[in-house]
Amino acid sequence: MPYALVFLPLISSIICYFGKSLGNLFSQILSSSLVFISAVISIFIFFDGITNNNYGNYLIFEWISSGDFKANWSINIDPLSSVMLVVVTSVSAVVHIYSIGYMSHDPHKPRFMSYLSLFTFAMLMLVVSDNFLQLFFGWEGVGLCSYLLIGFWYKKESANNAAIKAFIVNRIGDFGLAIGIFLIFYFFNTINFDEVFSVIPENKDKIIEFLGFEINLITLICFSLFIGAMGKSAQFLLHTWLPDAMEGPTPVSALIHAATMVTAGVFLVVKCSPIYEYSTTALNIVAIIGMITAIFAASVALVQNDIKKIIAYSTCSQLGYMFFATGVGAYHVAMFHLFTHAFFKALLFLGAGSVIHALNNEQDIRNMGGVWKKIPYTFILFLIGTLALTGFPFLSGFYSKDAIIEFAFLKNSSIGNYAAAVGIITAFLTSIYSWRLLFKTFFGKYNGSLTKDKIHESPLVMIVPLIILASGAIFAGYFFKDIFIGHNTNFWKNSIFFLNQLDHYTIPLWLLVLTPIIVVMAIPVAYYYFLKNTEIIKNLKGTNLPLYNFLLNKWYIDELYDFIFVKPTKRIGNLLWKKGDIGIIDRFGPDGISKVVKYISNKSTKLQSGYIYDYAFVMLIGLSLLITYFILK
Amino acid sequence: MMNFPILSLIIFLPLLGSFFVFFSRSKNDIGAIYISILTTFVNLLLCIFLWWSFENNFQGFQFVEEKNWISGYIKFKLGIDGISILFIVLTALIAPICVISCINSVKVRLKEFLIAILVLETFMIGVFCSLDLVIFYLFFEAGLIPMFLIIGIWGGPRRVYSAYKFFLFTLLGSVLMLVAIISIYTLTGTTDLLQIYEIKIPKEYQNILWLAFFSSFAVKMPMWPVHTWLPDAHVEAPTAGSVILAAILLKMAGYGFLRFSVGMFPFGSEFFTPLVYSLSVIAIIYTSLVALMQNDMKKLIAYSSVAHMGYVTLGIFTFTKQGIEGSMFQMISHGIISAALFLCVGVLYDRMHSREIKSYGGVVNYLPKFSLIFIIFTLASLGLPGTSGFIGEFLVLVGAFTKNYLVALLATIGVVLGAAYMLWLAKKVIFGQITNDKVKKLSDVNKSELVLLSILAIITITLGFYPNLILDTVDISVNNLIYNYENEIAQKISNLE
């Protein structure tokens, strides 16, 4: 059964791509149903694991064997991967179905479905891997699908650029991941997860010299792997590709850039918890990067005007939460947030897609407003997503986000306290920008150019997937909190490693109620500023223009990279070509030599003038030189 | 072991075919085409049969043939091991592809072109089979002549310049190799490779001899800074010429490093390892940066070839299992991928008569099948896991990391740059707006092109998922190579003590 789970999406992808002649409807139904079967199987495996402890490793075949460097294609089911399986396949199935409606006007439906299925396959290969190399395969595979899907509308220049940017920034992350794998193989002579994890404790104090620094081996490995995670999960410094990736069709944003692929980095860190636990330094780095990302992305999201970009920055920020959760050692809480986040963020994206669909591809929230009566279902579902995201009491986000803040606080270290503080501030910012988005989109005056009767509610095939996700967004937190993060949970078994047993102090009451109160308080605040009295915001913009521009331009990080990396690289490339290859190597190499040869032979032909007196003159000179030589000697 | 001289057969069958082509008289060279296809195809089957009957677990050389040539001095000695068999199969695979691809694209003197390709095949297979230095040298150098003609006669506007550049560069290096071979003969009294392995060349001569061989192989590889002939040669060569050049001729140098440099001069190889590392890393980064700025498709792919060959030299001189197997894999994989990429460029060139990246854009709208294939090879070239390009690069880097992590780190940067220039190429040619109206009139790949490219694509992906097909074959030979090398080095150290 695990084989079917993994390979059904691949089969779907191949049939859809090469079976274009079978028709659009066929490919849509086929791929949706195959992925749906996959989802059913993975839900079954998930519960089978909980009740019957039924986990295992299923070999496909040996992939590579070169000396000690060995890797298998295999399917490894453990509690951690079973959670990821559920997230990936269920969101994927929902998105497949939703795409039938969303892409109804697109001429390339089979290709789209094929890419979606291929992505699902690559993501599954990533999460079920039992070694670092297969993980790397899935890692780059999802990167490829992301590239293909961002650039799906290949006629758009901006889409192409965004696709390339996504791939290359991810490659920079992969660079780190690859270095991590090299380090692991060099020191431990294996790349199998279990074998690596078993030798970590005896190497925990190993110091190596790297680039002139004395550094702890475990820290270095963790740091390299984390660079990979930063790239894939769009963490601060390597986040620039994610907002641009919104050029892709909205279902892609929901599946890849919200629920699944971008969480692969979190998955990697959690999976490698047996390594990370032995390096406090690495965990602190993870926590700090997570905190910076959380607050940075939330601050940028405050002022953006593109509906999808706001949600993209929100994703960035929520991923930051997950990372600082792992950074304070609360891996299971990070996974819980990953799990709930997948539902409500996919819901928000698909809801945004539904809005965009209704408003004839309008994405700028300044051109929206007051449409909630026209698209009531979308509005209600979007509202549920917003509530869940902000952590409104008793919805999914409430349980997972508050758990992160609480665990950070309980850590009782300075980094933990900072993390808790950042968590609370970011929760407030999240609430503000989410409600700003909601109010500007659905309430107030309509500012768009469409006539009112053209605005239409989305078809049922798009609404039903939203309802499925919405029920997840409402109930997933409540139902699964005991399994994932309950005090006595035995769910994770060996798949997550805690060096020190977690203490369960009672959480102070003020902390328990602080975040929900802040979050709920933010609603009227946002209502007042963004809907009731917009003048205040305008004035604020006017008086703080530099700050506003700083946020609007995303802290100018893209411009900075362009200045530091992109332009110099091009300049150096040109210099090496024009000056290096042509100017030096060719000029002094083949061209130079042939010129010299030509020059000398030209000169030497002149010596043979054919006139007797020339020769006699040369002889005379030679003779006199010889005589001089002999006399002087 | 079979007594039938199968190696001689696969070497000289194409030569025999070329005689028939020469004497064939028919309208539009139909006869010549059929004879060439038949010969190369039969040869491919023979080589596959050879691979099939090859014993993976056999120590030493198989199918050895020995005949006196210049009696008492030089023997015509052939034999193969796990390293050479793969190159032979690769050559035999590329040859029919070249023959079929040139039928449509070569408009003048088709018959002579086919003869050149067949003769070249003989020489190339000969290089990989010979176990005698003189025989090796003869095949190695003779290969220059048909290639020189292919570029010089059927090339583009600057063909004469490029052909001479190619010829002079490679000849210059080879002359030193000839001198080295002669001095090896005076030192050991033989040119038989297996005997030289036994006798062992005195330590004090190894460095200078290594350099002489290196000068030849470095040019052929090509390594930085003697790589500048390659872009010119590729740009001017006709499609089939580029394919052979990239797929096979460059690999002769890598093969030479493994068989001769490392095999005969372990001390020299060890001594010059830092040099090779530096040149390889420079090649990888330098040419990747240059490739980023190219406007000509063929030049871009040519520069990327130099970068990919940088991984090969890097891997060989790690003297680790992963490094050398990675290099082997990288050579085979690059042979297939670069051949396919040049064929793809050829497909476009035949229709548009332009290699400028700027004149394309939006090709996917009118050539969907072609675009799919092009993207597959683009991804393979940038080393995406699941394609053969990944395995080679990754193994080389794994091997390099165990020897010198700084070198490996720098070489890994090439992987990022590789993605940048290949994706940029794909974006400009395949995707985007249609800027040139001529693109709208293009027709998609025809059946023969589709079949050829699909076969190569299937091989690339198969090797990506099941690389043991190659790794199993080279396993024993690489083990022996490393064992001999380390043995020698260990002896040197114990002598010092």
Side-chain angles (χ1 to χ4, degrees):
Chain A
M1 209 156 58
Y3 295 103
L5 162 68
V6 172
F7 287 106
L8 281 179
L10 179 66
I11 294 167
S12 145
S13 169
I14 293 169
I15 295 178
C16 288
Y17 199 96
F18 293 102
K20 278 172 192 154
S21 53
L22 297 171
N24 292 339
L25 196 64
F26 175 80
S27 71
Q28 288 170 333
I29 290 173
L30 178 90
S31 58
S32 302
S33 41
L34 286 183
V35 175
F36 186 75
I37 296 171
S38 237
V40 171
I41 297 175
S42 59
I43 289 168
F44 174 78
I45 286 176
F46 177 70
F47 285 108
D48 196 35
I50 292 174
T51 49
N52 302 331
N53 197 12
N54 198 354
Y55 299 112
N57 194 339
Y58 306 83
L59 179 74
I60 304 173
F61 59 85
E62 188 183 48
W63 182 10
I64 193 169
S65 153
S66 169
D68 291 329
F69 192 82
K70 287 196 173 71
N72 287 333
W73 293 111
S74 60
I75 300 175
N76 186 43
I77 309 275
D78 62 3
L80 184 62
S81 62
S82 74
V83 172
M84 290 303 284
L85 288 179
V86 172
V87 171
V88 173
T89 51
S90 52
V91 176
S92 175
V94 166
V95 167
H96 270 80
I97 297 167
Y98 178 90
S99 303
I100 297 175
Y102 191 82
M103 302 300 281
S104 57
H105 304 301
D106 197 279
H108 298 289
K109 293 182 201 82
R111 189 161 62 93
F112 185 75
M113 301 314 267
S114 167
Y115 289 170
L116 280 185
S117 297
L118 185 66
F119 166 79
T120 312
F121 167 71
M123 191 71 202
L124 291 175
M125 288 304 270
L126 193 164
V127 299
V128 298
S129 163
D130 75 344
N131 60 65
F132 279 101
L133 204 66
Q134 188 187 328
L135 178 118
F136 195 76
F137 165 81
W139 196 264
E140 289 240 309
V142 292
L144 162 73
C145 298
S146 160
Y147 163 79
L148 292 172
L149 284 164
I150 296 170
F152 183 76
W153 287 317
Y154 50 77
K155 286 180 189 167
K156 265 163 83 182
E157 180 74 13
S158 55
N160 282 319
N161 289 337
I164 290 188
K165 186 171 172 185
F167 197 91
I168 290 174
V169 174
N170 268 301
R171 263 271 157 130
I172 295 170
D174 297 350
F175 168 82
L177 181 57
I179 298 292
I181 298 174
F182 299 154
L183 279 166
I184 287 169
F185 178 72
Y186 180 36
F187 286 101
F188 307 138
N189 227 12
T190 173
I191 49 168
N192 183 290
F193 284 133
D194 293 336
E195 290 169 20
V196 172
F197 296 159
S198 66
V199 293
I200 293 290
E202 58 204 67
N203 287 293
K204 65 177 177 187
D205 295 322
K206 197 166 190 166
I207 304 287
I208 60 161
E209 204 212 305
F210 191 77
L211 301 176
F213 295 103
E214 301 257 306
I215 192 165
N216 181 287
L217 173 65
I218 304 293
T219 303
L220 185 63
I221 290 174
C222 289
F223 184 69
S224 308
L225 295 178
F226 184 56
I227 292 176
M230 281 167 71
K232 196 104 295 180
S233 293
Q235 292 299 288
F236 187 64
L237 296 180
L238 292 180
H239 67 280
T240 54
W241 64 271
L242 185 61
D244 289 23
M246 296 302 127
E247 289 289 342
T250 308
V252 173
S253 313
L255 175 62
I256 300 186
H257 306 121
T260 55
M261 184 184 87
V262 289
T263 60
V266 181
F267 170 76
L268 177 69
V269 175
V270 175
K271 178 95 206 171
C272 295
S273 56
I275 311 181
Y276 277 88
E277 278 291 273
Y278 287 99
S279 171
T280 323
T281 322
L283 281 178
N284 287 344
I285 293 171
V286 173
I288 290 167
I289 293 285
M291 285 190 273
I292 295 175
T293 312
I295 207 155
F296 151 78
S299 75
V300 173
L302 282 176
V303 298
Q304 298 300 313
N305 290 316
D306 185 316
I307 184 168
K308 284 179 74 182
K309 284 206 171 150
I310 296 173
I311 308 178
Y313 275 107
S314 161
T315 306
C316 231
S317 167
Q318 297 302 311
L319 290 166
Y321 267 102
M322 297 174 208
F323 274 110
F324 73 67
T326 57
V328 297
Y331 305 100
H332 56 318
V333 187
M335 282 308 291
F336 186 43
H337 195 52
L338 188 160
F339 182 73
T340 58
H341 175 258
F343 290 106
F344 57 71
K345 194 49 69 66
L347 172 63
L348 280 175
F349 262 120
L350 294 185
S354 181
V355 174
I356 295 166
H357 195 74
L359 298 178
N360 207 2
N361 295 330
E362 179 60 61
Q363 297 201 8
D364 194 326
I365 56 171
R366 284 170 298 190
N367 299 332
M368 297 178 182
V371 294
W372 71 273
K373 274 184 191 156
K374 286 276 168 192
I375 44 176
Y377 299 117
T378 305
F379 165 66
I380 291 167
L381 293 162
F382 201 89
L383 180 67
I384 293 171
T386 306
L387 288 170
L389 167 65
T390 55
F392 195 82
F394 312 118
L395 271 72
S396 291
F398 166 72
Y399 293 103
S400 54
K401 196 187 284 183
D402 281 16
I404 290 177
I405 295 167
E406 284 154 18
F407 268 90
F409 182 78
L410 284 180
K411 180 85 176 167
N412 216 2
S413 63
S414 55
I415 202 111
N417 290 339
Y418 280 123
V422 166
I424 293 168
I425 296 169
T426 309
F428 176 69
L429 292 177
T430 308
S431 206
I432 295 283
Y433 70 68
S434 303
W435 289 105
R436 168 178 176 260
L437 172 63
L438 188 93
F439 289 138
K440 285 210 157 196
T441 309
F442 292 101
F443 291 97
K445 211 165 80 255
Y446 179 63
N447 301 315
S449 51
L450 288 174
T451 49
K452 279 245 166 178
D453 46 307
K454 272 211 175 153
I455 301 170
H456 58 93
E457 181 61 280
S458 302
L460 209 58
V461 71
M462 287 166 71
I463 294 296
V464 170
L466 287 179
I467 293 171
I468 299 171
L469 288 173
S471 46
I474 298 172
F475 302 115
Y478 178 74
F479 281 120
F480 290 99
K481 69 173 192 301
D482 289 331
I483 296 175
F484 279 63
I485 56 169
H487 280 210
N488 302 314
T489 180
N490 191 25
F491 169 66
W492 299 103
K493 309 221 162 48
N494 296 326
S495 64
I496 295 180
F497 176 76
F498 298 102
L499 191 58
N500 305 309
Q501 276 308 311
L502 292 169
D503 302 319
H504 292 289
Y505 301 110
T506 38
I507 302 145
L509 187 69
W510 64 268
L511 185 72
L512 269 181
V513 295
L514 180 64
T515 329
I517 289 176
I518 286 179
V519 163
V520 177
M521 288 290 289
I523 304 174
V525 173
Y527 175 75
Y528 184 73
Y529 282 116
F530 295 114
L531 211 58
K532 203 74 184 162
N533 203 340
T534 48
E535 289 303 310
I536 299 176
I537 292 290
K538 266 186 200 152
N539 289 337
L540 211 59
K541 255 186 226 172
T543 47
N544 294 305
L545 208 56
L547 179 68
Y548 175 72
N549 278 333
F550 182 67
L551 292 180
L552 189 68
N553 289 304
K554 310 143 204 165
W555 295 23
Y556 292 104
I557 287 174
D558 274 322
E559 286 75 8
L560 191 71
Y561 283 174
D562 195 48
F563 184 71
I564 303 178
F565 298 114
V566 181
K567 280 189 184 141
T569 308
K570 283 187 177 167
R571 219 172 289 148
I572 293 170
N574 216 8
L575 188 81
L576 290 179
W577 177 33
K578 291 271 163 64
K579 294 275 187 268
D581 266 19
I582 299 173
I584 295 173
I585 297 175
D586 274 358
R587 192 163 146 226
F588 296 107
D591 295 355
I593 290 171
S594 65
K595 247 183 219 147
V596 170
V597 170
K598 216 173 178 180
Y599 178 78
I600 293 173
S601 58
N602 262 340
K603 288 285 165 195
S604 56
T605 46
K606 277 195 188 134
L607 285 178
Q608 303 167 4
S609 59
Y611 297 114
I612 283 287
Y613 54 83
D614 271 358
Y615 297 133
F617 183 64
V618 172
M619 276 170 71
L620 198 66
I621 290 176
L623 204 62
S624 51
L625 281 177
L626 272 178
I627 291 167
T628 325
Y629 175 73
F630 280 113
I631 290 171
L632 289 180
K633 191 178 149 202
Chain B
M1 196 69 39
M2 279 190 304
N3 290 320
F4 182 73
I6 186 166
L7 292 183
S8 299
L9 178 67
I10 58 167
I11 292 177
F12 292 109
L13 184 69
L15 196 64
L16 188 73
S18 73
F19 278 115
F20 282 106
V21 171
F22 183 72
F23 291 112
S24 71
R25 293 268 176 277
S26 59
K27 210 177 150 214
N28 296 333
D29 297 327
I30 296 286
I33 291 169
Y34 279 123
I35 293 170
S36 321
I37 292 178
L38 187 72
T39 329
T40 50
F41 194 70
V42 169
N43 216 24
L44 174 62
L45 292 181
L46 280 173
C47 288
I48 289 172
F49 171 74
L50 185 70
W51 191 15
W52 178 74
S53 51
F54 180 83
E55 291 282 337
N56 279 347
N57 299 320
F58 186 81
Q59 302 277 347
F61 287 85
Q62 308 181 29
F63 305 101
V64 176
E65 294 170 24
E66 205 171 331
K67 288 184 193 68
N68 264 336
W69 184 36
I70 301 175
S71 65
Y73 296 100
I74 299 165
K75 277 178 284 187
F76 186 80
K77 189 169 183 178
L78 305 174
I80 54 171
D81 66 352
I83 294 172
S84 34
I85 176 74
L86 291 170
F87 289 110
I88 295 169
V89 174
L90 179 68
T91 312
L93 173 74
I94 295 298
I97 288 175
C98 286
V99 168
I100 294 170
S101 81
C102 72
I103 294 171
N104 290 325
S105 55
V106 173
K107 305 281 186 229
V108 288
R109 295 174 182 271
L110 179 58
K111 201 168 93 179
E112 285 79 356
F113 192 86
L114 292 171
I115 292 175
I117 287 187
L118 289 174
V119 171
L120 194 54
E121 187 186 0
T122 288
F123 293 150
M124 291 185 301
I125 295 181
V127 165
F128 298 125
C129 292
S130 10
L131 286 184
D132 186 286
L133 288 178
V134 176
I135 306 292
F136 168 77
Y137 182 79
L138 287 179
F139 280 127
F140 194 78
E141 289 309 297
L144 280 181
I145 301 162
M147 199 61 219
F148 175 72
L149 295 176
I150 287 175
I151 298 175
I153 296 175
W154 290 275
R158 288 176 76 230
R159 56 180 178 261
V160 177
Y161 171 78
S162 300
Y164 273 102
K165 201 170 173 180
F166 162 73
F167 198 83
L168 288 178
F169 252 114
T170 37
L171 196 69
L172 203 70
S174 306
V175 169
L176 293 173
M177 184 163 79
L178 181 63
V179 176
I181 290 174
I182 293 168
S183 62
I184 288 174
Y185 181 73
T186 55
L187 282 171
T188 61
T190 179
T191 54
D192 182 331
L193 192 64
L194 298 185
Q195 286 185 21
I196 295 171
Y197 282 165
E198 290 296 315
I199 297 170
K200 295 191 173 78
I201 291 166
K203 229 185 306 177
E204 56 271 30
Y205 295 102
Q206 285 204 4
N207 284 356
I208 186 83
L209 290 176
W210 186 92
L211 272 181
F213 272 80
F214 176 74
S215 67
S216 171
F217 297 147
V219 169
K220 202 74 158 220
M221 195 85 200
M223 292 172 80
W224 187 86
V226 283
H227 64 281
T228 57
W229 63 269
L230 187 73
D232 280 321
H234 268 311
V235 166
E236 299 307 325
T239 303
S242 287
V243 169
I244 291 188
L245 189 58
I248 318 289
L249 287 189
L250 305 187
K251 308 303 174 295
M252 294 183 354
Y255 173 77
F257 274 129
L258 283 172
R259 177 74 78 233
F260 301 99
S261 298
V262 178
M264 292 196 302
F265 320 119
F267 300 117
S269 303
E270 194 214 10
F271 184 79
F272 286 109
T273 296
L275 173 74
V276 177
Y277 280 178
S278 328
L279 293 183
S280 307
V281 168
I282 293 174
I284 291 169
I285 295 179
Y286 181 110
T287 49
S288 297
L289 286 170
V290 174
L292 269 176
M293 301 310 297
Q294 297 305 313
N295 308 315
D296 182 309
M297 287 193 276
K298 270 190 152 181
K299 256 196 174 156
L300 194 151
I301 300 170
Y303 274 111
S304 86
S305 289
V306 182
H308 284 130
M309 290 299 110
Y311 289 104
V312 173
T313 45
L314 178 61
I316 291 174
F317 284 85
T318 60
F319 309 112
T320 57
K321 188 88 200 275
Q322 289 83 27
I324 294 183
E325 288 197 347
S327 296
M328 275 298 301
F329 204 96
Q330 174 81 342
M331 282 193 269
I332 302 296
S333 135
H334 177 262
I336 291 160
I337 296 168
S338 63
L341 281 172
F342 280 118
L343 282 176
C344 285
V345 175
V347 167
L348 288 179
Y349 186 78
D350 288 345
R351 289 162 172 70
M352 288 266 287
H353 300 284
S354 167
R355 290 182 312 261
E356 285 284 307
I357 293 172
K358 256 183 264 163
S359 34
Y360 295 92
V363 167
V364 67
N365 294 301
Y366 293 90
L367 292 82
K369 284 179 206 155
F370 170 80
S371 301
L372 170 68
I373 288 166
F374 191 85
I375 293 294
I376 289 176
F377 288 112
T378 302
L379 296 171
S381 173
L382 63 83
L384 191 85
T387 64
S388 60
F390 168 71
I391 309 283
E393 258 174 31
F394 205 82
L395 283 179
V396 164
L397 291 172
V398 166
F401 201 87
T402 56
K403 287 286 164 158
N404 188 330
Y405 64 84
L406 187 65
V407 165
L409 214 63
L410 290 170
T412 314
I413 295 175
V415 177
V416 178
L417 294 172
Y421 62 71
M422 285 315 289
L423 289 182
W424 182 78
L425 173 70
K427 176 196 148 192
K428 289 282 174 185
V429 174
I430 301 292
F431 300 124
Q433 293 280 357
I434 299 170
T435 47
N436 188 341
D437 280 341
K438 278 190 200 158
V439 172
K440 290 181 185 165
K441 293 186 193 109
L442 296 182
S443 56
D444 208 341
V445 281
N446 60 33
K447 267 209 184 105
S448 70
E449 290 164 339
L450 185 66
V451 169
L452 292 185
L453 289 169
S454 308
I455 289 172
L456 292 175
I458 289 168
I459 295 174
T460 309
I461 292 170
T462 311
L463 289 180
F465 281 92
Y466 192 67
N468 285 350
L469 207 60
I470 285 181
L471 296 179
D472 285 345
T473 307
V474 297
D475 190 49
I476 296 283
S477 303
V478 171
N479 277 347
N480 286 341
L481 194 72
I482 296 170
Y483 176 78
N484 290 336
Y485 169 81
E486 285 180 344
N487 226 9
E488 293 276 309
I489 301 295
Q491 272 176 14
K492 175 180 126 185
I493 291 166
S494 65
N495 285 348
L496 283 177
E497 284 164 356

